[in-house]
Amino acid sequence: MKLKLDFDDLADDFFDNTRLLGIVASVKNYQFCWQLNQLLRYDFRINNEIEIQLYKKSRNYYFSIFEYREPTTSLVHYLYHNQYDGEYLLPEFKHLDFLWLLKGDIVAEDFMQQLVTGIRSLSPVQLVTELTNEKIKNKGHLIF
């Protein structure tokens, strides 16, 4: 008997009750996190244990993920850097610099709007847009 992993089910479970933002901001990831932490009073920190590693063109590419856990809820914020050395975590969104995944709790619409407004107020940010699961071809790349 062969057991087969169903990656579609895995992805569906991972993305259940998540919200995903795409952000264009021409700034280093650690500088962006510092600005977000100052503005939103968050505490984004790099989490090397969940870094995404992709193997393309006979070499490895590493995509860092910064993490912030809301202190009073089960909501966790993950900030992915979409680009590493000319490769993209989500190649269908090459124009995006960062991907912000909210996971672990239901996110209210008013909270989401406040968050988007806050992110947009940062000077290096040119665009913030919500991405729907249907638009993401390589959603498996976001699973850690």
Side-chain angles (χ1 to χ4, degrees):
M1 181 173 122
K2 277 189 179 174
L3 292 175
K4 185 177 165 243
L5 272 176
D6 188 334
F7 284 105
D8 290 338
D9 281 353
L10 191 68
D12 287 345
D13 286 349
F14 184 85
F15 288 103
D16 196 33
N17 283 329
T18 62
R19 304 283 294 262
L20 184 66
L21 297 173
I23 301 167
V24 177
S26 50
V27 65
K28 299 264 187 231
N29 56 10
Y30 61 89
Q31 292 169 322
F32 187 49
C33 285
W34 184 85
Q35 289 186 14
L36 289 169
N37 289 345
Q38 297 299 308
L39 175 77
L40 303 170
R41 305 236 183 282
Y42 283 8
D43 189 21
F44 270 110
R45 291 176 183 235
I46 195 160
N47 185 340
N48 293 317
E49 291 174 17
I50 58 173
E51 175 181 78
I52 305 283
Q53 180 180 335
L54 293 181
Y55 188 75
K56 291 181 177 180
K57 301 177 190 160
S58 304
R59 64 171 283 210
N60 287 315
Y61 293 88
Y62 303 94
F63 299 90
S64 54
I65 303 176
F66 290 77
E67 179 180 9
Y68 168 66
R69 294 180 176 275
E70 293 263 350
T72 55
T73 69
S74 51
L75 185 64
V76 186
H77 302 261
Y78 298 100
L79 190 70
Y80 299 75
H81 205 179
N82 191 37
Q83 198 259 341
Y84 176 86
D85 211 13
E87 275 301 320
Y88 296 88
L89 188 57
L90 294 183
E92 63 270 33
F93 295 114
K94 286 185 173 149
H95 63 290
L96 298 175
D97 298 304
F98 299 98
L99 304 159
W100 185 319
L101 180 71
L102 294 89
K103 180 175 169 53
D105 206 348
I106 307 242
V107 178
E109 201 52 48
D110 59 335
F111 176 86
M112 204 63 187
Q113 290 310 313
Q114 288 174 344
L115 183 62
V116 167
T117 302
I119 298 167
R120 280 192 181 128
S121 74
L122 294 172
S123 60
V125 173
Q126 292 146 8
L127 173 84
V128 182
T129 185
E130 186 158 7
L131 305 175
T132 57
N133 282 343
E134 300 79 57
K135 289 183 184 170
I136 307 168
K137 291 189 197 106
N138 295 288
K139 70 171 79 160
H141 290 180
L142 298 177
I143 298 174
F144 43 81

